[in-house]
Amino acid sequence: MEQEHFALGGFPQGPGEAPSRGAIPLRTRRTEVGRELSQREPAATVRPVVSATPAQLASVAVGRPVRGEFTYLVPEALGDKLAPGQRVLVPFGRGMALGFYLGPANAPVEGGVRLKPIQRVLEDSPSLPKDLIALLRFTAEHYRYPLGEVIRGALPPGLSTAVDEKEAKPDIQFFVEALVTEVPPQLARAPAQAAVLQYLLAVGGRAPLDEVTHAIPGARETLKKLATRKFVKWVEVTLQAGVREGLVQNRPDRLTPEQALAVKELQGAVDAGGFQPYLLHGVTGSGKTEVYLRAVEHTLARGLGSLVLVPEIALTPQLVGRFRSRFGGDVAVLHSGLKDRERLFHWQALRKGTVKIAVGVRSAVFAPVEHLGLIVVDEEHDPSFKQDEKLRYQARDLAVVRGKQAGAVVVLGSATPSLETLQNTRSGRYKLVELKNRVDDRPMPSISLVDLRVERPREGQVTEEAPILSPQMLQAMEETVAKGQQVILFLNRRGHSTILLCEVCGLSLKCHDCDVCMTHHRSQNRVVCHYCGVAFPVPDRCRECTGPLLKLGIGTERVEAEVLERMPHARVARLDRDSATSAEKLTELLASFARRELDVLVGTQMVAKGHDFPGVTLVCVVMADTSLAIPDFRAAERTFHLLTQVAGRAGRGKDPGRVLVQTYNPDAEPVKRVLAHDFDGFSKQELEWRKALAYPPFARMAAVRLEGEHPEQTAGVARFLGNLVGRHMPPASAGVRLLGPALAPIARIRGKTRWQLLLKAPTHSALAPLLARLEAALPDVPNGVKVVIDVDPGAML
């Protein structure tokens, strides 16, 4: 990231970027920025403003996809009830809308303009603290998204609609308790009541309501009658957040010398106060999580709050287990796998200040943590921190911005830092703290290569696919399981077969609406498109020539089947988005593996994200080449990160670890560097290449993506926008470059043709005028073409 990215003032606005502050609500229409923009609409009957003072005028962001802040009248009855960050109900267009009061309006109101009054306040205390409002304003400006939609998206369910706030209740469970020791005679004529009471007495006189109703159909109504007759009573028990067995971790008695130095450095920064970003660069297994825990512990002791971000829900159960093992109920959890009521309960606890530690995925960067003193971004390199729909923000970058605004210490932790973070460290913008050795001086896992070019069987002139599990890999797995140790098999593709190819005409089975191959899911006996989600039964024959279909390419489902077939005695499970369909299933699977109730875990990148399983001594990468051929300038970096991270799951206990990597490209640079544990060599070479070609971190980028149902129309709009940008390009000496317009690497998704333009510049301020001109031209674009502006894009597809 460039230094200006984290300037307190944000980025300079280009021409036309200033948010519109109007007295008249706007009518929305569909445009191509992936959201709604606005046009003027005559106001409904409103109250005229003659001499309103700024204190009587309110600046409100409306929770609709429209740009800018709007000016409303403050009724006298609400004059002393408004505080910045409160949700309000406001008239908008011909109806009512959710609004967010941001403070008194500063802009003067022109004579004759008629303003509408705020209708009412939807909550007693603000949903958003003042420091969070500043972050949300920055987010809207930088990522070019309507402020009201940014705020609405940051709020949990229950606060993101125009309804009065309700207090979320904690998890509760109902029990039924018998008030007698035997079935009384008066129930002789009520056999149903007698049977339920007899069951309750048989299980000890007390049981969960769900258990009784499951055992005896219709028991709920019967229990109500028994309660009326004073034979039983209902008991409501508040459930305390616990830690699943296998995910508990005790506080270690001592730290390694490197951990102790890192903890001392971070604690000193918290004591000093003020913004200070750090890169905690520690090899896998070096104890970065314990450093986080000690830093949070110290921050909490000073009465300050902490925010901890993890890349995906897959990593949340284990990290939450560690934090709750240490801090008990003083931990709020925020991610989409929770029930709506749970998310609201945790949000409200943070906002009230009764809980001071938040742990969550990228959206938790907007958590209302009071008196924020420390922000931790674990696995900061992970691409999951970038959201790829609607508000396309990068949570790692916003964490740094929030730290600067709040005057907090920010710790970005990784064994394989992103090149943006690494460059910021090398240029002196971030401080570096290193953990070069594993805990207890455990050795790094040995990494061996299996060349699949040699392993491929050849019969006559026909070359077949290499085996899914090479003889070396299968032997290593059998030896590991025989010792009572555990194995992780990694393949970053779901499903059974990734290509269905006609043996006669050679055509592959592709999605009707997307320019991608269908994936065969054998457990469902269906083929699925992983881009649009369309699925249908596996065809018997080719749709073009009726020839037989070959099932080629492998996914995690096929690998799991192969392991079960070759090692029938092994206990095998699969971890991917098809198997972990809920937060509960994910937590239980990870806890089961941690308890060593499983021998082999087959999974996608979900198994590579920071998990700590001491029983794992062998990690097998089934195919190291899946991400190398992706047309993206970050392909090599992501391949290196992924291989290093999954290899780091091995040897984290007392037994040494071993990694086997199967590949068709043993000479590929990321693969060779992973074998040597050479992050420094890889990053140096990759940074030199990025600098020569003016790619991040040595440039800022914005992608303009178009999609439409009509190919010719979409291409025409792409050329129109390309010409528009070309006419307003600054002199070549400014270093601004335009790539495209061109068809996107995946040229069709969901039946829509896709084009893109890429803008590169030394700084974001150099891009801002061009992006502003693009936005100004969008109302002229046909409704059939959607345009998305993605600032700091994470992927080029």
Side-chain angles (χ1 to χ4, degrees):
M1 296 295 111
E2 293 297 318
Q3 188 172 13
E4 78 169 310
H5 182 100
F6 307 115
L8 274 174
F11 294 104
Q13 290 185 332
E17 277 192 282
S20 60
R21 245 182 233 272
I24 305 175
L26 310 177
R27 182 182 72 238
T28 60
R29 64 179 289 267
R30 174 68 61 184
T31 71
E32 341 56 73
V33 287
R35 50 192 180 267
E36 307 285 343
L37 295 181
S38 53
Q39 290 181 323
R40 293 286 178 184
E41 174 186 82
T45 303
V46 292
R47 183 161 35 144
V49 174
V50 180
S51 59
T53 64
Q56 297 172 304
L57 301 180
S59 179
V60 175
V62 179
R64 295 282 179 85
V66 292
R67 294 306 186 92
E69 300 172 20
F70 297 84
T71 302
Y72 284 86
L73 273 175
V74 179
E76 291 183 10
L78 297 180
D80 57 349
K81 295 182 180 180
L82 283 175
Q86 275 180 312
R87 298 180 310 120
V88 294
L89 186 68
V90 294
F92 193 78
R94 295 182 176 89
M96 293 290 171
L98 173 67
F100 307 98
Y101 174 67
L102 302 176
N106 296 320
V109 178
E110 298 177 3
V113 172
R114 298 176 180 270
L115 299 180
K116 295 181 178 181
I118 294 173
Q119 293 298 299
R120 61 191 181 92
V121 180
L122 298 173
E123 57 197 11
D124 295 330
S125 59
S127 287
L128 302 167
K130 290 183 179 180
D131 65 321
L132 201 51
I133 294 174
L135 178 70
L136 292 166
R137 272 183 160 139
F138 173 90
T139 302
E141 179 184 336
H142 179 58
Y143 294 104
R144 316 194 80 83
Y145 206 73
L147 177 59
E149 286 289 87
V150 171
I151 298 175
R152 195 167 67 86
L155 293 172
L159 297 179
S160 57
T161 54
V163 296
D164 291 307
E165 182 181 6
K166 295 181 180 179
E167 191 75 16
K169 293 183 179 180
D171 280 338
I172 59 173
Q173 185 175 11
F174 286 103
F175 285 80
V176 185
E177 187 175 310
L179 298 177
V180 295
T181 56
E182 59 182 20
V183 179
Q186 52 264 53
L187 293 183
R189 294 186 180 183
Q193 295 180 42
V196 171
L197 185 55
Q198 184 63 50
Y199 174 86
L200 191 59
L201 292 171
V203 295
R206 178 185 169 101
L209 175 63
D210 291 341
E211 177 189 318
V212 181
T213 55
H214 179 74
I216 305 176
R220 182 181 291 270
E221 291 303 316
T222 304
L223 285 166
K224 289 180 180 178
K225 294 176 183 178
L226 287 169
T228 302
R229 302 178 71 172
K230 307 296 184 182
F231 294 141
V232 303
K233 68 176 180 179
W234 293 43
V235 180
E236 182 180 300
V237 177
T238 300
L239 298 179
Q240 299 298 324
V243 182
R244 194 69 59 90
E245 183 185 354
L247 301 181
V248 177
Q249 188 186 63
N250 296 322
R251 192 176 195 270
D253 295 330
R254 60 184 180 84
L255 300 174
T256 67
E258 289 180 331
Q259 283 179 313
L261 287 174
V263 169
K264 183 179 180 181
E265 173 72 26
L266 298 181
Q267 289 179 346
V270 171
D271 290 340
F275 170 65
Q276 178 57 63
Y278 285 90
L279 166 60
L280 178 60
H281 185 187
V283 299
T284 55
S286 58
K288 293 186 291 295
T289 303
E290 184 59 32
V291 174
Y292 304 152
L293 286 163
R294 299 289 177 106
V296 170
E297 196 174 66
H298 185 76
T299 305
L300 187 63
R302 291 185 56 83
L304 301 175
S306 298
L307 172 61
V308 182
L309 301 182
V310 294
E312 281 193 285
I313 299 175
L315 189 55
T316 310
Q318 195 168 51
L319 196 68
V320 169
R322 292 185 175 186
F323 271 80
R324 282 189 171 150
S325 298
R326 193 71 56 88
F327 302 108
D330 201 11
V331 179
V333 182
L334 298 169
H335 61 72
S336 60
L338 299 174
K339 299 173 184 175
D340 289 353
R341 177 185 50 75
E342 292 177 296
R343 292 170 65 186
L344 179 58
F345 179 77
H346 288 302
W347 177 279
Q348 290 175 336
L350 288 168
R351 192 184 64 184
K352 294 173 186 175
T354 57
V355 172
K356 295 185 178 296
I357 303 170
V359 178
V361 294
R362 61 175 176 251
S363 59
V365 73
F366 302 116
V369 181
E370 277 201 341
H371 308 300
L372 191 59
L374 176 69
I375 301 176
V376 174
V377 184
D378 190 29
E379 309 294 349
E380 64 83 25
H381 65 277
D382 198 285
S384 299
F385 282 119
K386 171 71 174 179
Q387 180 156 296
D388 291 324
E389 59 182 13
K390 296 184 179 178
L391 172 61
R392 290 165 168 80
Y393 66 94
Q394 167 51 267
R396 176 200 61 212
D397 295 350
L398 287 184
V400 177
V401 174
R402 184 171 185 183
K404 188 160 192 176
Q405 291 177 339
V409 175
V410 180
V411 182
L412 309 180
S414 177
T416 54
S418 65
L419 295 185
E420 287 85 353
T421 297
L422 190 65
Q423 182 60 25
N424 273 328
T425 304
R426 292 181 175 179
S427 62
R429 295 169 190 152
Y430 299 171
K431 286 187 177 181
L432 175 64
V433 176
E434 291 185 288
L435 304 176
K436 298 181 179 180
N437 300 288
R438 286 188 154 190
V439 173
D440 296 332
D441 291 325
R442 295 168 191 151
M444 294 295 291
S446 62
I447 305 180
S448 304
L449 197 69
V450 178
D451 190 343
L452 292 179
R453 298 173 303 179
V454 177
E455 296 297 328
R456 282 183 302 182
R458 292 173 174 80
E459 296 182 5
Q461 299 300 316
V462 179
T463 301
E464 301 178 14
E465 279 193 295
I468 295 174
L469 304 176
S470 62
Q472 302 99 302
M473 187 169 287
L474 187 61
Q475 181 182 352
M477 291 173 60
E478 289 174 338
E479 291 174 353
T480 302
V481 173
K483 295 177 183 177
Q485 299 167 353
Q486 294 175 293
V487 181
I488 287 179
L489 263 69
F490 166 74
L491 176 65
N492 206 24
R493 283 184 178 172
R494 292 183 288 145
H496 183 271
S497 305
T498 54
I499 301 173
L500 272 68
L501 190 72
C502 177
E503 193 173 357
V504 177
C505 68
L507 292 178
S508 58
L509 180 63
K510 287 194 171 184
C511 176
H512 286 290
D513 299 323
C514 307
D515 192 21
V516 295
C517 291
M518 303 289 285
T519 298
H520 174 212
H521 288 251
R522 191 171 69 170
S523 61
Q524 307 170 24
N525 193 32
R526 297 169 75 80
V527 287
V528 180
C529 174
H530 288 168
Y531 280 83
C532 70
V534 67
F536 50 83
V538 181
D540 297 327
R541 296 282 173 173
C542 174
R543 293 186 297 199
E544 301 296 328
C545 72
T546 70
L549 291 173
L550 296 174
K551 296 180 176 67
L552 305 176
I554 57 174
T556 49
E557 190 179 337
R558 187 174 172 189
V559 174
E560 180 189 25
E562 180 81 3
V563 175
L564 288 169
E565 179 182 343
R566 303 296 293 273
M567 300 175 62
H569 58 283
R571 299 167 297 176
V572 184
R574 175 165 49 91
L575 177 59
D576 56 26
R577 297 195 187 283
D578 298 322
S579 60
T581 54
S582 68
E584 289 79 9
K585 287 185 178 180
L586 171 64
T587 302
E588 180 50 41
L589 187 127
L590 292 174
S592 180
F593 193 63
R595 294 193 298 263
R596 305 181 78 154
E597 296 169 358
L598 298 169
D599 300 313
V600 181
L601 184 61
V602 180
T604 57
Q605 60 181 347
M606 293 174 77
V607 304
K609 294 182 180 293
H611 302 299
D612 187 359
F613 300 115
V616 174
T617 59
L618 176 65
V619 167
C620 300
V621 179
V622 179
M623 179 70 69
D625 311 314
T626 54
S627 59
L628 278 174
I630 295 176
D632 191 319
F633 72 91
R634 290 190 174 96
E637 180 185 6
R638 287 184 177 158
T639 299
F640 181 88
H641 287 176
L642 205 49
L643 293 179
T644 301
Q645 290 291 333
V646 72
R649 301 314 105 204
R652 300 170 78 95
K654 62 180 180 179
D655 299 310
R658 181 184 177 192
V659 181
L660 289 179
V661 179
Q662 293 185 161
T663 178
Y664 283 106
N665 295 282
D667 295 325
E669 194 65 29
V671 176
K672 289 195 300 184
R673 298 289 185 178
V674 166
L675 292 176
H677 297 288
D678 186 11
F679 174 77
D680 290 338
F682 171 78
S683 59
K684 179 181 179 182
Q685 186 175 57
E686 190 72 7
L687 283 170
E688 289 176 355
W689 176 80
R690 297 272 187 95
K691 187 173 185 179
L693 297 179
Y695 276 110
F698 301 100
R700 303 308 299 267
M701 291 184 65
V704 183
R705 299 192 175 97
L706 304 88
E707 64 175 43
E709 296 179 359
H710 305 292
E712 297 81 7
Q713 185 185 54
T714 308
V717 172
R719 286 190 288 269
F720 164 73
L721 294 179
N723 291 335
L724 174 69
V725 173
R727 290 196 305 270
H728 295 94
M729 290 284 283
S733 58
V736 181
R737 305 182 189 183
L738 170 65
L739 305 180
L743 278 168
I746 299 178
R748 196 162 56 96
I749 291 180
R750 298 181 182 90
K752 296 182 178 180
T753 301
R754 305 172 71 238
W755 283 69
Q756 70 180 16
L757 298 82
L758 291 177
L759 283 164
K760 298 195 296 183
T763 63
H764 186 274
S765 58
L767 289 177
L770 295 175
L771 297 180
R773 290 190 181 277
L774 276 170
E775 287 187 308
L778 293 183
D780 299 327
V781 172
N783 287 340
V785 180
K786 174 183 173 182
V787 178
V788 168
I789 297 177
D790 187 0
V791 178
D792 301 327
M796 299 293 103
L797 297 181

